[in-house]
């Protein structure tokens, strides 16, 4: 397994501190990611929300069949 860090373009969003972190951040159990860019990590909650909505809509369509 490769070491992932901000030096090679990977970032995490810390759910405990509600901020973007690099490799030396909080434990992974408290983080979302890794993401390729700092901007993607900063948008982690919005991305998750949009995916959850899409999955919920897809489930609704499936349930209606």
């Amino acid at each position: 397994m490769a070491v992932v860090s901000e030096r090679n373009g990977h970032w995490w969003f810390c759910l405990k501190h509600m901020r973007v972190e690099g490799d030396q951040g909080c434990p992974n159990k408290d983080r979302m990611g890794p993401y390729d860019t700092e901007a993607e990590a900063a948008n982690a909650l919005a991305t998750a929300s949009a995916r959850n909505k899409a999955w919920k809509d897809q489930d609704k369509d499936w349930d209606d069949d």
Side-chain angles (χ1 to χ4, degrees):
M1 188 166 145
V3 174
V4 181
S5 74
E6 65 272 21
R7 289 184 301 272
N8 60 12
H10 290 87
W11 300 86
W12 289 262
F13 185 81
C14 177
L15 297 167
K16 185 175 180 181
H17 298 106
M18 302 305 286
R19 67 177 180 225
V20 174
E21 297 180 341
D23 193 32
Q24 299 300 318
C26 290
N28 287 343
K29 69 181 181 74
D30 295 325
R31 304 193 295 182
M32 296 173 71
Y35 295 92
D36 290 331
T37 67
E38 188 174 3
E40 286 175 327
N43 289 316
L45 295 178
T47 299
S49 178
R51 288 178 180 164
N52 287 342
K53 182 182 180 324
W55 290 330
K56 184 177 179 179
D57 291 346
Q58 188 178 31
D59 284 346
K60 181 181 175 190
D61 291 342
W62 179 264
D63 291 340
D64 288 343
D65 287 343

